[in-house]
Amino acid sequence: MQKLDLKQIQTQKLSPQQIQYIKLLQIPSVELEARVQEELASNPLLEEGPPEEEPYSLEAEEDNYESEELEDVQEEISIEEYLEHEDVKNGYSSDYSNYSSDDDDDKEVPIVSSASLLESLERQIGFLDLDEKQQIIARQIIGSLDNDGYLRRDLKGLRYDLMLTQNMAVTEQEIEEVLKKVQSCDPPGIAARDLKECLMIQLERKLEEEFLTEEEERHIQNALLVLRKCFNEFKKKHYDKIQAKLHMSEEELREAIHLITKLNPKPGEVSGNSFVRNQYIIPDFIVKNRNGQLEVSLNSKNAPELRINRVYAEMLQQYEHSDKKDKKLKETISFVKQKLDSAKWFIDAIKQRQDTLLRTMNAIVEHQKEFFLEGDESKLKPMILKDIADKIGMDISTVSRVASSKTVQTDFGIYPLKYFFSEGIGTQGGGEASSREVKHVLKELVDNEDKSAPYSDEKLEELLRERGYKIARRTVAKYREQLGIPVARLRKEL
């Protein structure tokens, strides 16, 4: 049997404007430019430019027209309501001059990060002695490299890939031959299948260098021998076992290990070379120290001034003097009204985004004032998302969206906003220290330790407690791993 129930529930839904604001809030300035261009292309009522200096005048007239329901029009259009709005009359501009710095010296300083080596490798392949079939195989190989420059796909998998994508029947031996040629490209170690092969390729390349002395050649041969015969012992730093197995003196082993540790374990991350394409990170904020006063400004380069297109605004004005019974005209005006709403929402969302970013950044600067004045990492205070959310009166999720992908340019470099958030560690004096401060001290202890007898986590805990930090051994281990510091056994040197 059918049953009819009556339920009362309470739900919270986001409006389209709120969703648009949230999406704009979480993207960095460098992506905002593309988003603005996308909106400009899709909405003819939106355009770039400052406000009109002499806005056109509007003559308000009484409209005695009695509306009638039309097909495809859900509500009657109140043009006067839009035209009387001061923002529409003046171009409804989003003015970013209030946010950005007027000082020419406050221009953002881009920093460089390295991109893929794919283009460089493709150019180098052109200089190899490869036939058409081998070139296709080579492109398949370099297209399969990971971010570190390794070929993680096995030869059997590559053979299937070539059959499916290129309709080409090849043997694993043919792929192996081409792979060896690709491995002769720069940077040395590229297209290796594992770390051992990567390091050996680099050492073998060194053997090909001209003007090597007999002593240098012997050290390289010893390093190759260590990798070839004792790679597992080398990874675990069991140097005594290597010495016993290879019958090397301590000096010979020291030179071999020194050579190996100078090699690049991630050839795909090479930077500072001519074949690396540069990508620039544009900071979202600029913080300047003006004689002890910190000034926060927004980078407005990628957020241009926006306004309502005057031509379409005038079209709405002309509608007041037209025959409103024309159905096609009404449908046109309905479209214009819809786009006008969309343009206004977008401009409002951009302005709201800038306000939220500034409020958040100002709160961060206020909380971490000592760091922004001196640039000393040890001056960072414990700070969590809730601290900033409480200061600016917003939700934690809003602060999280701001901090997740934004960067700030300071007098000491460019930092991601996430850098300034850290948990607190208790001190012997009853206060709290930032986890970043503790990590800074931890790294300092490891850097200054005797590498022949590195500190264990227990010893590091003891040393940190002597400096006044209440910290557990497991926390020491966690911070050590976050800093990329290996365990004591792997830090040991001859």
Side-chain angles (χ1 to χ4, degrees):
M1 292 177 61
Q2 291 184 344
K3 188 177 179 181
L4 186 63
D5 287 331
L6 183 63
K7 287 185 180 180
Q8 184 176 6
I9 60 173
Q10 186 175 6
T11 61
Q12 185 176 10
K13 294 184 178 180
L14 293 175
S15 67
Q17 298 96 311
Q18 290 173 314
I19 294 172
Q20 186 176 59
Y21 161 66
I22 289 171
K23 287 182 177 179
L24 288 173
L25 184 63
Q26 60 193 14
I27 62 175
S29 295
V30 72
E31 292 181 24
L32 182 64
E33 181 182 23
R35 179 66 185 88
V36 168
Q37 292 303 320
E38 179 184 333
E39 192 70 19
L40 287 168
S42 63
N43 192 341
L45 264 75
L46 192 65
E47 67 177 8
E48 294 182 83
E52 299 286 346
E53 292 183 3
E54 297 180 2
Y56 57 91
S57 60
L58 297 174
E59 296 178 5
E61 297 182 4
E62 287 294 324
D63 183 10
N64 298 321
Y65 169 70
E66 292 183 302
S67 62
E68 59 176 318
E69 252 186 47
L70 296 175
E71 297 176 2
D72 303 325
V73 179
Q74 295 182 352
E75 60 180 358
E76 185 60 32
I77 304 166
S78 177
I79 301 303
E80 295 89 342
E81 181 181 342
Y82 287 95
L83 294 180
E84 287 173 4
H85 198 290
E86 191 66 27
D87 289 332
V88 177
K89 287 161 65 177
N90 292 325
Y92 204 94
S93 169
S94 57
D95 183 7
Y96 300 109
S97 60
N98 296 326
Y99 306 125
S100 59
S101 171
D102 294 329
D103 196 330
D104 291 338
D105 295 333
D106 289 347
K107 295 177 181 177
E108 67 281 352
V109 179
I111 59 176
V112 182
S113 62
S114 60
S116 170
L117 299 179
L118 181 61
E119 292 179 3
S120 171
L121 291 172
E122 285 183 343
R123 286 197 299 269
Q124 292 181 67
I125 283 172
F127 295 101
L128 299 177
D129 186 19
L130 301 177
D131 58 31
E132 186 177 347
K133 182 178 181 181
Q134 289 176 321
Q135 286 185 9
I136 294 174
I137 297 173
R139 290 192 183 94
Q140 187 70 37
I141 289 171
I142 64 174
S144 303
L145 301 181
D146 65 10
N147 292 334
D148 294 334
Y150 284 88
L151 178 64
R152 305 295 186 185
R153 194 96 164 113
D154 59 24
L155 300 185
K156 186 176 181 180
L158 284 173
R159 185 165 67 88
Y160 287 141
D161 291 344
L162 286 163
M163 288 175 61
L164 291 172
T165 61
Q166 304 294 337
N167 195 25
M168 179 186 292
V170 294
T171 65
E172 292 182 25
Q173 184 179 353
E174 288 177 306
I175 298 175
E176 178 87 36
E177 291 173 359
V178 176
L179 176 60
K180 292 298 181 186
K181 293 187 177 183
V182 173
Q183 289 175 345
S184 69
C185 294
D186 286 327
I190 198 72
R193 284 160 285 188
D194 53 39
L195 177 60
K196 179 180 177 180
E197 186 177 36
C198 176
L199 299 176
M200 291 186 69
I201 289 171
Q202 293 179 60
L203 287 172
E204 287 165 356
R205 187 80 68 87
K206 284 182 176 293
L207 279 177
E208 297 172 2
E209 294 177 2
E210 296 182 0
F211 310 116
L212 280 178
T213 65
E214 289 185 8
E215 185 181 17
E216 289 172 334
E217 186 174 343
R218 186 174 68 253
H219 291 326
I220 295 173
Q221 293 288 6
N222 284 338
L224 282 167
L225 191 60
V226 169
L227 293 177
R228 192 177 296 115
K229 300 288 187 179
C230 303
F231 185 67
N232 288 331
E233 290 84 351
F234 165 74
K235 287 196 299 181
K236 297 174 182 177
K237 294 200 172 183
H238 290 162
Y239 299 133
D240 52 343
K241 293 183 180 180
I242 297 175
Q243 274 187 269
K245 190 172 181 179
L246 300 180
H247 307 292
M248 282 186 186
S249 68
E250 187 174 325
E251 179 62 29
E252 287 176 326
L253 182 57
R254 183 184 292 110
E255 290 294 337
I257 298 301
H258 179 67
L259 259 178
I260 295 171
T261 53
K262 285 171 61 179
L263 301 175
N264 182 10
K266 296 182 179 181
E269 292 186 355
V270 175
S271 62
N273 293 277
S274 59
F275 53 80
V276 176
R277 185 177 66 250
N278 292 335
Q279 294 178 330
Y280 294 94
I281 299 174
I282 306 296
D284 300 270
F285 305 94
I286 299 170
V287 177
K288 301 291 288 185
N289 183 353
R290 305 288 189 190
N291 299 320
Q293 296 295 319
L294 295 172
E295 294 182 1
V296 179
S297 59
L298 281 175
N299 166 25
S300 59
K301 179 180 179 181
N302 297 309
E305 293 179 329
L306 300 173
R307 66 185 182 192
I308 301 299
N309 188 303
R310 179 174 176 173
V311 173
Y312 287 94
E314 289 176 343
M315 180 187 296
L316 294 178
Q317 181 190 21
Q318 292 170 4
Y319 174 70
E320 291 303 301
H321 307 284
S322 65
D323 180 8
K324 296 183 178 60
K325 294 184 179 181
D326 187 328
K327 181 179 177 180
K328 287 186 177 180
L329 179 59
K330 265 204 167 183
E331 289 175 350
T332 301
I333 295 302
S334 178
F335 169 79
V336 173
K337 173 182 175 291
Q338 179 188 359
K339 290 298 182 182
L340 180 62
D341 279 333
S342 178
K344 290 173 65 178
W345 290 346
F346 187 76
I347 294 173
D348 280 339
I350 290 288
K351 293 171 73 175
Q352 190 178 356
R353 174 185 186 273
Q354 307 298 346
D355 289 334
T356 302
L357 291 182
L358 264 183
R359 289 175 63 187
T360 304
M361 191 67 234
N362 276 309
I364 292 173
V365 169
E366 182 184 345
H367 196 98
Q368 304 289 9
K369 185 175 181 179
E370 290 186 33
F371 172 83
F372 285 101
L373 286 173
E374 302 177 25
D376 186 352
E377 190 178 51
S378 64
K379 301 286 185 176
L380 283 171
K381 297 178 181 178
M383 184 177 76
I384 58 176
L385 294 171
K386 188 176 184 301
D387 295 331
I388 301 303
D390 290 343
K391 278 190 176 184
I392 64 176
M394 291 187 174
D395 194 80
I396 292 176
S397 62
T398 301
V399 179
S400 176
R401 288 187 176 94
V402 173
S404 64
S405 57
K406 308 295 186 300
T407 56
V408 56
Q409 176 185 316
T410 72
D411 294 336
F412 319 103
I414 296 180
Y415 297 87
L417 288 199
K418 289 189 291 186
Y419 175 82
F420 302 104
F421 291 87
S422 61
E423 58 189 356
I425 296 291
T427 62
Q428 303 291 354
E432 269 196 330
S434 166
S435 60
R436 288 207 175 273
E437 177 185 338
V438 180
K439 288 178 185 178
H440 180 75
V441 175
L442 176 61
K443 187 176 185 304
E444 189 179 83
L445 289 170
V446 172
D447 289 344
N448 296 326
E449 70 185 355
D450 179 2
K451 296 303 180 184
S452 63
Y455 296 135
S456 64
D457 288 347
E458 290 81 3
K459 182 62 176 177
L460 289 169
E461 176 196 353
E462 181 185 331
L463 293 171
L464 286 168
R465 284 183 174 274
E466 288 177 3
R467 295 202 179 193
Y469 302 108
K470 291 181 178 179
I471 191 168
R473 188 201 60 79
R474 63 179 179 275
T475 308
V476 172
K478 181 178 79 171
Y479 288 174
R480 177 179 52 72
E481 289 171 1
Q482 289 174 353
L483 290 168
I485 300 173
V487 295
R489 176 173 52 80
L490 298 180
R491 300 201 303 275
K492 185 176 180 181
E493 295 179 3
L494 290 172

